[in-house]
Amino acid sequence: MPEAHSLPHRVWTIPNAVSFARMLAVPYFLWLLLAQDDARTAGLVLIGIGATDWVDGTLARLLDQQSELGRKLDPIADRLAIVAAIVGGWIAGVVPALIAAPLLVRELLMTALTARLVAGGWGTLHVRYLGKLATAAVYGSIPSFYLAAAGVLPNVFQALGWTAGVIGVTLYWVTAIQYAGDARRAMSADPPPSR
């Protein structure tokens, strides 16, 4: 078994494979939703993507396979899935604009902030626990709208979608403010490397 200090630089670990699988599931999800008009199966795929968000981090800790790549892949896989679910759902008329628009604006702002940090040589932001809770709420909300649109207990899933959606949007914006503070501190504490 490799020593723990060698794992941060490893690419092929079980948790990273789970993250890659989550990323590969996104095009399949979009195909189901937009090409096949199958909101029910698309919603179930989203639930699977959301569940495996928890799995990859748990496996990394249990198997002592935490890695730098894994720390980068996990939020990238989250962002891809959430943006695809929001944009695809908005286009398909499944996700209400009052939930989709603030989530999408937040994602675009966070992407720009992260790109600025990376391009400036300050690295990436550390994921906050509240951010994980926000992501969990969104992963509960968006598939609920998909299932409601497909006629699966529509009243129940519509109510769940709105409840989890309002919580998710609120927490997402609270963490966006926190991340902006983290970024400001990182940029003021360490000058970017000379070019």
Side-chain angles (χ1 to χ4, degrees):
M1 179 168 184
E3 293 180 17
H5 65 74
S6 68
L7 288 173
H9 303 293
R10 285 185 54 191
V11 172
W12 298 113
T13 64
I14 294 170
N16 289 353
V18 172
S19 293
F20 278 122
R22 288 170 55 213
M23 292 167 66
L24 292 174
V26 171
Y28 177 61
F29 154 78
L30 287 171
W31 176 78
L32 285 168
L33 177 66
L34 300 175
Q36 299 299 305
D37 195 26
D38 187 351
R40 181 179 180 274
T41 307
L44 293 173
V45 169
L46 276 181
I47 290 169
I49 292 171
T52 54
D53 179 32
W54 176 81
V55 169
D56 57 5
T58 302
L59 284 175
R61 288 183 292 279
L62 285 175
L63 301 174
D64 196 21
Q65 292 187 351
Q66 295 164 325
S67 67
E68 287 303 316
L69 179 62
R71 286 185 188 92
K72 290 180 174 78
L73 279 181
D74 183 52
I76 290 170
D78 285 344
R79 301 288 71 83
L80 281 175
I82 289 170
V83 169
I86 294 167
V87 173
W90 202 352
I91 290 169
V94 171
V95 179
L98 287 174
I99 296 293
L103 287 175
L104 188 56
V105 169
R106 190 268 192 188
E107 287 300 319
L108 293 172
L109 290 174
M110 287 305 301
T111 299
L113 179 62
T114 302
R116 170 73 178 107
L117 285 170
V118 171
W122 289 288
T124 58
L125 296 168
H126 292 286
V127 176
R128 288 177 167 268
Y129 180 71
L130 192 60
K132 289 300 238 180
L133 288 178
T135 300
V138 170
Y139 273 137
S141 171
I142 304 300
S144 296
F145 286 121
Y146 281 81
L147 294 176
V152 179
L153 300 173
N155 294 334
V156 172
F157 280 111
Q158 192 75 10
L160 179 60
W162 277 104
T163 303
V166 168
I167 292 169
V169 167
T170 303
L171 291 179
Y172 252 26
W173 277 97
V174 168
T175 57
I177 293 166
Q178 292 175 334
Y179 286 136
D182 293 345
R184 188 182 69 247
R185 283 186 292 277
M187 289 187 281
S188 64
D190 297 311
S194 59
R195 305 214 181 273

